[in-house]
Amino acid sequence: MSGDFLALAQPGVQQLSPYVPGKPVDELARELDIDPATIVKLASNENPLGASPKALAAIRDELAELTRYPDGNGFALKSLLAERCGVDIQQVTLGNGSNDILELVARAYLAPGLNAVFSEHAFAVYPIVTQAVGAAARVVPARHWGHDLPAMLKAIDEQTRVVFIANPNNPTGTWFSAEELDEFLQDVPAHVLVVLDEAYIEYAEGSDLPDGLDFLAAYPNLLVSRTFSKAYGLAALRVGYGLSTPVVADVLNRVRQPFNVNSLALAAACAALQDADYLAESRRLNEAGMQQLEAGFRDLGLSWIASKGNFIAVDVGREAAPVFQGLLREGVIVRPVANYGMPNHLRVTIGLPAENTRFLEALAKVLARG
């Protein structure tokens, strides 16, 4: 006799679906018997430049110490981040990717009977971490595919402990201004922790996006989360960080797993953070690639959602799932986003110029088939 272990799981967990990552190149190659070298992957918002040469050198230097546990406090990286971000080292929390920071927040501040507020079309991890600890998810309808901050304010009640907001947002690429953010933070009750997810903020430097760091001193209930997975090109190593008051950082460290960031990730992140040329080239390539894809969509008569990330959501004018499958057969991997309530859209990562061209040509071919 066996137990029903799905029924025994927490109700919130029972209602979840596992997070589905972008299809790996090797998986598509096996499924369709395609040479993996010919496959273009534009599905997971990875940096097409590859990792910084300085980060790769730092990893090689660290390999001899693989028998040693990493620095569980991440002192070197936290020191660099504190200096770069203008905060005290006690305000920095390191995570196994920024996803880890989101989960630490949920474990520390959410529980059955409490709730978290976030937007429709927002990052899939927000409901996962919320419902996994038995808290309720309050999903606020989007406005023009982005956050409706005034409506999110109205959704907050006495049982709300966390609000997740992303700027720019994934998968839509939408953003809000510094004025909108400031007005929102002024009105959020003091008992609610606002998590400002800035996973793509490095791509938006010099734009009209606010820098969450500018608001930390004024709002003790604000936490800014960032990652090295995107603009810094270290997605495989899983390293991110949160910036908050020392009190919030101390709470998160009480539930953080020991050695949650490995030695190779710590070394690579330190090196990448100091490689200004690499970051500048990542931005340049992204801006050019965004213009290339927008021009291609315009030529195809398609609409898209303006984006400040390293990706763009295009409306293919029909159910996107068959188009996605058609692209796979052409050896091009993008991301369907029907699970985000966007059944007619595909999210496309900005790639190298040749990769962008390959995608646009494949898209035109698939759409022409009807």
Side-chain angles (χ1 to χ4, degrees):
M1 184 176 181
S2 61
D4 184 346
F5 284 94
L6 174 59
L8 291 169
Q10 286 198 48
V13 175
Q14 294 176 33
Q15 297 166 15
L16 286 171
S17 297
Y19 180 82
V20 179
K23 182 180 284 290
V25 168
D26 289 345
E27 181 179 321
L28 179 61
R30 289 193 304 271
E31 289 178 354
L32 299 183
D33 193 24
I34 301 175
D35 180 356
T38 67
I39 294 173
V40 171
K41 184 187 178 189
L42 301 175
S44 300
N45 301 345
E46 297 150 337
N47 191 325
L49 277 181
S52 156
K54 292 182 179 180
L56 295 175
I59 291 170
R60 286 191 290 270
D61 291 343
E62 193 67 28
L63 289 175
E65 297 298 319
L66 289 185
T67 58
R68 308 292 184 188
Y69 283 104
D71 175 4
N73 190 43
F75 178 79
L77 179 55
K78 288 170 72 172
S79 297
L80 280 173
L81 287 168
E83 180 181 1
R84 178 68 60 88
C85 299
V87 299
D88 293 331
I89 194 170
Q90 293 85 1
Q91 294 179 255
V92 184
T93 305
L94 298 182
N96 185 236
S98 58
N99 281 16
D100 195 23
I101 301 298
L102 305 178
E103 184 169 357
L104 293 178
V105 167
R107 291 176 60 200
Y109 290 104
L110 294 173
L114 302 176
N115 69 70
V117 172
F118 48 88
S119 177
E120 179 188 20
H121 314 310
F123 189 31
V125 168
Y126 304 157
I128 290 174
V129 299
T130 298
Q131 293 175 227
V133 296
R138 291 196 161 191
V139 184
V140 177
R143 182 176 60 185
H144 306 305
W145 301 108
H147 291 60
D148 186 341
L149 294 179
M152 294 180 73
L153 273 173
K154 292 178 181 178
I156 295 172
D157 63 16
E158 289 300 316
Q159 284 69 50
T160 304
R161 291 295 178 271
V162 178
V163 175
F164 293 107
I165 55 176
N167 208 35
N169 182 54
N170 173 30
T172 61
T174 52
W175 66 95
F176 43 80
S177 69
E179 292 75 20
E180 290 173 304
L181 176 60
D182 195 36
E183 289 175 5
F184 177 77
L185 293 173
Q186 287 179 33
D187 292 334
V188 172
H191 72 272
V192 175
L193 180 66
V194 177
V195 177
L196 176 59
D197 184 348
E198 293 187 331
Y200 300 92
I201 192 67
E202 290 85 6
Y203 284 110
E205 182 173 287
S207 74
D208 51 357
L209 261 76
D211 185 333
L213 305 183
D214 295 338
F215 297 84
L216 276 175
Y219 298 103
N221 61 335
L222 175 65
L223 180 147
V224 176
S225 69
R226 294 182 174 180
T227 183
F228 285 89
S229 295
K230 308 302 181 186
Y232 288 104
L234 300 179
L237 290 180
R238 312 306 304 126
V239 54
Y241 59 100
L243 304 168
S244 63
T245 63
V247 172
V248 171
D250 174 63
V251 170
L252 299 186
N253 276 310
R254 297 180 187 207
V255 296
R256 179 177 60 86
Q257 292 293 317
F259 313 114
N260 63 327
V261 182
N262 68 74
S263 295
L264 303 185
L266 290 170
C270 285
L273 194 62
Q274 299 174 85
D275 192 344
D277 291 339
Y278 172 86
L279 186 59
E281 178 60 13
S282 294
R283 291 194 188 108
R284 187 204 65 76
L285 184 71
N286 192 67
E287 290 171 7
M290 186 73 75
Q291 293 173 9
Q292 182 184 2
L293 289 188
E294 288 180 347
F297 297 151
R298 192 176 296 112
D299 290 343
L300 291 170
L302 302 176
S303 62
W304 63 91
I305 303 171
S307 171
K308 291 291 188 182
N310 68 335
F311 58 88
I312 188 167
V314 58
D315 185 343
V316 297
R318 65 190 76 170
E319 185 184 355
V323 179
F324 167 70
Q325 292 297 329
L327 289 170
L328 291 182
R329 289 190 289 273
E330 296 294 327
V332 176
I333 309 173
V334 294
R335 190 65 177 269
V337 285
N339 60 315
Y340 285 96
M342 303 169 66
N344 290 357
H345 285 81
L346 293 172
R347 191 193 69 189
V348 187
T349 304
I350 308 301
L352 299 173
E355 294 174 324
N356 298 332
T357 297
R358 172 80 180 282
F359 157 68
L360 289 170
E361 290 174 349
L363 179 61
K365 185 184 297 186
V366 172
L367 292 176
R369 292 177 188 148

